[in-house]
Amino acid sequence: MCGIVGFTGRREAAPILLEGLARLEYRGYDSAGLVTSTGRQLHLRKKAGRLAELRKLVAAHPAPGCHGISHTRWATHGGATDRNAHPHLSHDLRIAVVHNGVIENYATLKHQLLADGVIFRSDTDTEVLCHLIARYYHGDLLSAVGAALALVKGTYGLAVMARDEPGVIVGARLGSPLVIGIGPDGHYLASDAAALAGFAEKVVYLDDRQLCQLDESSYVIRNPDCDAIDVPVHDIALFLGDGDRDRGEFPHYMLKEIYEQPEALANAMRGRLDSADCTAHFGGLNLTAQQLRQIDRVIMTACGTSYHAALVGEYLFEELARLPVEVEYASEFRYRNPPIDRNTVVLAITQSGETADTLAALRESKRMGHTTLAICNVVGSSIAREADGGVYLHAGPEIGVASTKAFTAQVCTLAMLALYFGRMRHLSSLHGQRIIHDLQALPDMVRRTLACHETVKEIAAKYAEAKNVLYLGRQYLYPVALEGALKLKEISYIHAEGYPAAEMKHGPIALVDAQTPSVFLVPRGHVFDKVMSNMQEIKARGGPIIAIASAGDADVAAVADDVIPVPDVPEYLQPIITAVPLQLLAYEIAVLCGCDVDKPRNLAKSVTVE
Ligand code: AGP
């Protein structure tokens, strides 16, 4: 996901912009740039690669001025090059733009601008915005931005400056977050409040189709009709999340976040388990007991790791709440038109709260009149604000691009929701009490699971050269097989696939050979014997086996080449326990492969484009 930081005030802008971008680095990007202004002159500095490259450029060629905008870009249209980095300037060098999102009709607009003789300097869709704004600019930047955006189809979070309006920044938002920061030194504009920590004291979130204009001493927000509107002001502390952003003694954020899982789970459950009524409570569902009782079907929609959490949620809701669940990839769901009856609730699951496909699926569900809920980690994010109600994970900032603590916190939250819905229907207080007891033991169980780390390191060294890995599990652990494969793929770039263990016989077993290890999720449970049979089938074909198994399980040890022990927990909580060794295995293999674990190639922490 791209990052935007702007500042106008009484301090040099460049250092503020660079520090703000540094706080958004974890999202993943491939180029960075900034533009500042002094008097009637714009100072543009931009560079492909990491932020350090931009810092070197600015050190060598300072960008003076107390007014500027900046950007980290994750390439959509056009490669990761200096010329494609933002900011972009209009042909007359009067307008500078940074942009998050995608201009879907940019080709048509570019064609018209080329026909008018405009010279393009980049391959990006964003550049058309600069030239359009310049076309409508006659001294009023906000009006020119509004006029240009009227021609645009697509999504944007924008920050715009004009050479002839020193000190003014205009912002606009449609589908990509934008927040105004209010601080003692001036005003800020950013794509995420995290960039403004320590600078701004208050924040104001823009909603879609709103524009804003800032200068060092004031700001105004306007609706699509350009009428000034009042928007609530919040303390920035509300949106910085609990948990710190420092890596501490860990070599990578991802490892820190793996080890934070006991605490993240405790935070997710804090104040929500009710032993007296043997149920769970949530402050933000915003639905009456009557409305919740009427729900007779749930559609869970998400992307990536959050989709895998949703798949676990399907098993949890079916078993504990006896509610039928359908899990949909958000990118598919948003364009399908499934018949949905009116007592269906759509539950969006997302760490960032800004994933474009998940946001679009939520909006489509709302447009059709369905009740929408969200499970989200980032307070104040778009999905959190647009859902009718929801549950925050309170897992703290997740900086590593590969999601870890958010996944286990999502599954834990889904278990609590299943308890809540179940206790409204058929679950007895005795059963509810037992579930609460199991959940309360989770942080300690995960802490005990982390003791497998040394074993995982040894196993990682054996298989770091693998080119293909299979992940296999059944029932609650089938989604964890998918998640384990995704973890390995996204940070070590080794191809991996997750399957229901029984599916091997229907084709994938043809892949098995001595160079293709299979990771089996095989703790004791009601399908243990079936999974053991699947392991034997792989063994018989010479495939190496890594087993995630109940500690001390001699039957598994007799078949598997390597065993990673986990403590015994009830089956419905095994997804949380077994995910931990898979996270560590992917991490240790990626480190051995020399990969950038926290910022894997081609990936962004939050995918805010389609
Ligand atoms: C998971 O490790 C990935 N980083 C990615 O699949 C992620 O889960 C997906 O993009 C969804 O993000 P969200 O949870 O913020 O919506």
Side-chain angles (χ1 to χ4, degrees):
M1 176 176 177
C2 310
I4 289 176
V5 181
F7 172 70
T8 176
R10 294 168 288 283
R11 283 174 56 185
E12 278 298 293
I16 294 173
L17 302 178
L18 289 167
E19 176 55 28
L21 291 182
R23 298 192 187 143
L24 302 181
E25 264 202 296
Y26 69 92
R27 301 154 170 263
Y29 65 97
D30 40 46
S31 61
L34 59 83
V35 62
T36 59
S37 76
T38 48
R40 293 274 187 280
Q41 190 182 358
L42 295 180
H43 310 283
L44 175 65
R45 307 284 184 270
K46 58 185 188 173
K47 195 76 184 147
R50 294 294 187 208
L51 198 51
E53 300 306 316
L54 178 62
R55 286 187 189 279
K56 281 184 218 157
L57 179 62
V58 174
H61 305 283
C66 299
H67 164 221
I69 56 178
S70 62
H71 189 258
T72 46
R73 175 177 182 250
W74 185 65
T76 53
H77 297 69
T81 59
D82 295 0
R83 73 192 216 113
N84 287 337
H86 300 202
H88 289 288
L89 299 184
S90 56
H91 55 85
D92 56 8
L93 307 183
R94 290 191 303 161
I95 304 294
V97 171
V98 295
H99 166 233
N100 283 355
V102 174
I103 307 299
E104 293 180 359
N105 62 334
Y106 90 97
T108 307
L109 296 170
K110 183 167 182 175
H111 182 74
Q112 291 161 359
L113 288 162
L114 287 168
D116 294 347
V118 170
I119 307 292
F120 278 75
R121 298 188 190 85
S122 79
D123 311 318
T124 67
D125 56 334
T126 300
E127 193 181 346
V128 298
L129 285 174
C130 309
H131 303 315
L132 283 177
I133 295 168
R135 169 188 288 178
Y136 294 105
Y137 181 63
H138 309 297
D140 177 347
L141 184 58
L142 190 138
S143 300
V145 171
L149 291 177
L151 303 176
V152 162
K153 289 194 187 97
T155 58
Y156 50 80
L158 273 187
V160 188
M161 283 168 55
R163 185 192 61 195
D164 302 334
E165 288 189 51
V168 170
I169 296 176
V170 167
R173 176 207 152 135
L174 178 60
S176 202
L178 213 52
V179 57
I180 295 172
I182 302 161
D185 298 317
H187 287 100
Y188 304 80
L189 191 61
S191 49
D192 183 324
L196 305 181
F199 294 123
E201 292 162 346
K202 305 277 185 188
V203 289
V204 183
Y205 276 85
L206 266 65
D207 279 333
D208 275 351
R209 300 192 188 285
Q210 290 178 350
L211 296 96
C212 65
Q213 180 166 319
L214 325 174
D215 59 37
E216 70 165 79
S217 57
S218 67
Y219 71 88
V220 64
I221 296 174
R222 297 187 183 283
N223 64 17
D225 299 325
C226 265
D227 303 323
I229 54 175
D230 287 330
V231 179
V233 180
H234 305 278
D235 286 340
I236 192 171
L238 281 177
F239 303 98
L240 295 182
D242 25 19
D244 59 29
R245 295 176 172 276
D246 295 331
R247 221 168 50 199
E249 78 279 4
F250 291 94
H252 299 100
Y253 280 108
M254 181 179 177
L255 190 59
K256 172 175 178 274
E257 287 149 12
I258 290 171
Y259 273 82
E260 276 179 343
Q261 290 182 106
E263 179 193 349
L265 288 166
N267 290 339
M269 293 188 277
R270 186 160 291 117
R272 291 171 169 166
L273 294 178
D274 177 348
S275 293
D277 291 338
C278 308
T279 186
H281 286 303
F282 303 93
L285 291 182
N286 302 335
L287 296 172
T288 65
Q290 182 77 18
Q291 288 168 317
L292 288 162
R293 185 72 185 79
Q294 281 168 354
I295 292 168
D296 58 16
R297 190 157 155 266
V298 180
I299 292 177
M300 297 182 188
T301 187
C303 302
T305 285
S306 298
Y307 174 81
H308 299 151
L311 288 175
V312 178
E314 179 174 18
Y315 286 89
L316 288 165
F317 273 53
E318 285 175 354
E319 178 170 337
L320 302 182
R322 306 303 299 152
L323 267 173
V325 174
E326 199 177 307
V327 179
E328 297 282 353
Y329 277 115
S331 55
E332 286 297 304
F333 184 59
R334 66 182 289 192
Y335 292 115
R336 272 184 47 203
N337 184 24
I340 305 179
D341 62 41
R342 61 199 177 81
N343 291 330
T344 296
V345 67
V346 176
L347 171 61
I349 301 174
T350 171
Q351 189 283 132
S352 64
E354 299 298 349
T355 301
D357 286 320
T358 310
L359 178 57
L362 182 93
R363 287 174 171 168
E364 177 64 5
S365 305
K366 287 186 76 170
R367 187 194 60 75
M368 294 164 70
H370 292 291
T371 300
T372 56
L373 297 175
I375 294 176
C376 181
N377 193 36
V378 178
V379 177
S381 57
S382 300
I383 291 171
R385 291 188 298 127
E386 296 193 23
D388 295 318
V391 183
Y392 281 121
L393 295 178
H394 299 310
E398 186 175 70
I399 310 297
V401 166
S403 188
T404 50
K405 63 177 181 176
F407 173 73
T408 48
Q410 284 167 344
V411 173
C412 177
T413 301
L414 286 161
M416 290 192 286
L417 274 171
L419 166 63
Y420 178 69
F421 281 110
R423 287 283 290 132
M424 295 180 113
R425 288 164 170 74
H426 69 289
L427 268 188
S428 69
S429 56
L430 176 64
H431 195 163
Q433 188 56 43
R434 205 161 54 235
I435 292 169
I436 287 174
H437 175 76
D438 295 340
L439 288 168
Q440 287 168 333
L442 259 184
D444 191 46
M445 285 301 182
V446 170
R447 212 166 276 116
R448 286 170 51 187
T449 304
L450 287 164
C452 74
H453 194 174
E454 284 311 309
T455 303
V456 170
K457 271 184 189 170
E458 291 161 16
I459 295 171
K462 282 177 66 174
Y463 297 100
E465 303 297 318
K467 296 292 177 274
N468 289 290
V469 182
L470 296 174
Y471 286 73
L472 303 164
R474 285 180 182 242
Q475 298 290 292
Y476 277 105
L477 300 183
Y478 158 50
V480 183
L482 299 178
E483 174 59 13
L486 176 61
K487 285 283 117 7
L488 186 69
K489 273 184 275 199
E490 65 177 326
I491 62 173
S492 71
Y493 317 145
I494 293 172
H495 180 249
E497 289 304 325
Y499 285 100
E503 268 301 296
M504 290 310 297
K505 302 186 293 296
H506 305 285
I509 201 165
L511 294 171
V512 171
D513 60 21
Q515 285 71 43
T516 305
S518 294
V519 180
F520 272 91
L521 295 156
V522 60
R524 290 286 169 168
H526 74 287
V527 289
F528 174 79
D529 293 340
K530 306 292 182 190
V531 181
M532 285 294 287
S533 303
N534 299 143
M535 278 172 60
Q536 293 288 7
E537 290 155 13
I538 300 284
K539 184 91 182 164
R541 289 159 180 81
I545 293 173
I546 303 167
I548 314 296
S550 301
D553 192 323
D555 296 339
V556 173
V559 176
D561 298 271
D562 297 279
V563 179
I564 301 173
V566 294
D568 281 336
V569 296
E571 281 193 57
Y572 71 96
L573 294 180
Q574 283 178 350
I576 292 173
I577 297 302
T578 55
V580 175
L582 299 189
Q583 296 163 352
L584 290 170
L585 183 63
Y587 171 81
E588 291 299 346
I589 289 177
V591 168
L592 289 170
C593 293
C595 296
D596 186 341
V597 171
D598 284 332
K599 296 193 281 290
R601 70 184 182 196
N602 307 337
L603 291 182
K605 182 59 183 171
S606 175
V607 182
T608 58
V609 294
E610 280 201 48

